[in-house]
Amino acid sequence: MCHNLSKYTPIFLFLTLSGIIFLLRNIHTVENWNCQAISSFYQLQSRIHSSLSVSAFYHNHTYCTHVGQKPSPEDELEERYLLELISWPSPPPHSGPTTLKQTSDPVHSLFTILPAKEGREWHVGDQLEVLVQMHDFQGRPKRYGGDFLLARLHSPELGAAVVGQVVDHKNGFYSALFPLLWVGSAQAEVMLVHSSEAVAVLRRLREERADRVFFKSMFRLGLLSETTVCNLCLPPDHQPLCNYTDLHTGEPWYCYKPKVLSCDTRINHAKGGYLKNLITNKEALLFKSGVNLKVYIHASGPDKISVLPQKDKVEEENSTTKPEHIQLETSGYYYMDSWRPLDGFTMRQFNESSAVVQCLKNKVINMYGDSTVRQWFEYLIGFVPELKEFNLYNPKKVGPLMAVDSTHNILLKYRCHGPPIRFTTVMSSELRYISNELDGLSGGPNVVVVLSIWSHFSTFPVDIYIRRLRHIRQALVRLIDRAPGTLIVIRSANLQALDQEVSLYNSDWYSQQLDQVLRTMFKGLNVLVVDAWQMTLAHHLPHALHPPPPIVKQMIDMLLSYVCPERKKSQK
Ligand SMILES: *[C@@H]1O[C@H](CO)[C@@H](O)[C@H](O)[C@H]1NC(C)=O
Ligand SMILES: *[C@@H]1O[C@H](CO)[C@@H](O)[C@H](O)[C@H]1NC(C)=O
Ligand SMILES: *[C@@H]1O[C@H](CO)[C@@H](O)[C@H](O)[C@H]1NC(C)=O
Ligand SMILES: *[C@@H]1O[C@H](CO)[C@@H](O)[C@H](O)[C@H]1NC(C)=O
């Protein structure tokens, strides 16, 4: 390997000049340097350091939460409220199933449209209730709740669909409640996403195995490079750490200190990988596609009703059968394959790129977040030929990205959110927290801010997400205060395709919990929401992390309608 030493002259020169520090610091490492090591430095190979095998996340939850700034008493109170809000029933600890046979089985489970007897008339404005009874693989009724079910009501011929709200009666029965919003046929659909037993596994992973996705950074000085593991918190007693805690927000971030190089030589951040063998063989049976993972539950009788036009007002008022304790939070529905918000706001359709240009004229649109909002950037530059992507020489999937239409004075920008982010490689210099970016915005009536932050937090305990959103919310409040005309739009989480592996890191169950936190935390603030959750759940196209173009079009139409509301009916 060492037969062409002259090739290595530059490296020996470099080592002579700058190596003394390393010699003093790390005599034993340098002693081991041989031709092979030097040649690998020469090739600038990023060697995965031995520290990659060290536990990548500090499991002490308390430590993780309070690393950085201590939350105020109000913040702690809010956090407790939020965690209570998303609390999910666990299978009973003792009578819990010992075999797969005793877990929820969608094939043995059934749903029934209520009332079960024939002859009920349905009108627009009524609420439809569907009762689901879960059974196990032996056909025995389940006696406890916690299954993760999704429900939708739809009419393919009308291009109509709406999500149902699922209520867990915690005894094996569930209700799915649907508002009746169109005249004609309406077919109910109920899906088991995960059994309660599977949810228990997911919950345990979230609390105990926050290291199941890990991150890495490369450190480089001259021709030397080292790579170490990074995460939100690392065990402080294993090895020296580099502390990259953000000084403005207090958002924590750590890497193991490289053996030779110093902490300020970090050049990038990347997804390290996904830990395997997280669950036992027995637990793996709870995550079988086509068996108990995203499987439809059948109806015991008819699954379809026929909806008549709305009754007159007086009659309607006393025929309401809506249970008092249930509040439907349906944000919209599809009709003729187009999304219709239910809050009185009208969604416009932007079928022509000229309409988009007209709407975005003289606007600066700042998109921040994960790949689900990057998808919006990509959609817009694909749809609007006038919007030319500016080459910033950044990786397409990472950014920052920028597109310009100088004729119409439109600027569209995208930047990913700060760590944890599982993108391939983000340069350290481009790692920014959304709240800090927002603090750097002047804002104003020509400025639009679009946020999407959810997917990269699903492997962590929820309090970490709450803290991140709190920082973003504080920055948004400051932005709204100094520039009241700034339009702020939040894209919620969406459903995605799940198999066993994806479930353990990115299950819809995790997303749904984060999404509830997000909605609650931004309620009452002057921000608009594009309900990606309901738009993907109601739609007939398959769930996908990056939803198919027809759904993205609905989301973009919604975004643009917020930016350019219909003149007469505009409310927001
Ligand atoms: C977790 O960390 C906190 C703060 O450092 C410490 O007080 C607590 O004893 C630790 N808990 C466990 C289980 O190690
Ligand atoms: C990391 O730095 C932050 C901010 O300076 C500090 O509050 C925190 O205690 C440090 N963490 C550790 C483990 O030293
Ligand atoms: C509905 O309410 C009105 C008055 O509020 C009453 O006169 C009428 O009888 C009620 N109709 C039914 C069907 O209960
Ligand atoms: C947009 O396209 C849809 C589907 O082709 C059509 O139904 C709708 O009327 C169009 N809207 C406008 C404003 O052109």
Side-chain angles (χ1 to χ4, degrees), residues 86 88 97 113 188 190 194 211 216 232 234 247 258-259 295 304 352-353 357 374 376 395 419 470 487 499 551:
I86 60 165
W88 195 269
I113 290 177
V190 179
H194 295 301
D211 61 339
K216 62 183 183 183
L232 271 165
L234 295 166
L247 292 176
K259 289 235 156 47
V295 176
K304 218 183 257 184
E352 310 293 331
S353 69
V357 169
R374 191 191 67 219
W376 288 13
R470 188 186 297 137
L487 185 75
D499 57 16
I551 303 181

Side-chain angles (χ1 to χ4, degrees), residues 336 349-352 553:
M336 289 166 62
Q349 289 178 325
F350 293 82
N351 293 351
E352 310 293 331
K553 174 174 194 289

Side-chain angles (χ1 to χ4, degrees), residues 57-58 60-67 79 83 206-207 210 231-233 251-253 419-420 453 456-472 514 517 521:
F57 194 87
Y58 191 35
N60 183 336
H61 198 172
T62 324
Y63 173 83
C64 272
T65 310
H66 297 300
V67 113
E79 183 176 312
L83 294 177
R206 187 177 65 187
E207 301 313 318
N231 217 322
L232 271 165
C233 38
E251 285 287 348
W253 192 258
I453 176 164
H456 300 253
F457 287 80
S458 58
T459 50
F460 296 98
V462 179
D463 48 330
I464 285 169
Y465 186 61
I466 295 174
R467 179 176 59 200
R468 181 64 54 92
L469 292 190
R470 188 186 297 137
H471 292 146
I472 292 173
L514 299 183
V517 165
M521 287 185 72

Side-chain angles (χ1 to χ4, degrees), residues 43 61 141 147 195 275 354 479 488 507 549:
Q43 291 161 18
H61 198 172
D147 296 301
S195 65
L275 294 185
S354 57
L479 175 60
I488 298 153
S507 166

Side-chain angles (χ1 to χ4, degrees), residues 312-332:
D312 18 336
K313 207 82 186 156
V314 185
E315 229 182 317
E316 187 209 345
E317 264 162 26
N318 36 16
S319 69
T320 320
T321 53
K322 187 167 157 182
E324 287 302 314
H325 60 286
I326 289 152
Q327 207 201 335
L328 280 183
E329 287 183 22
T330 313
S331 65

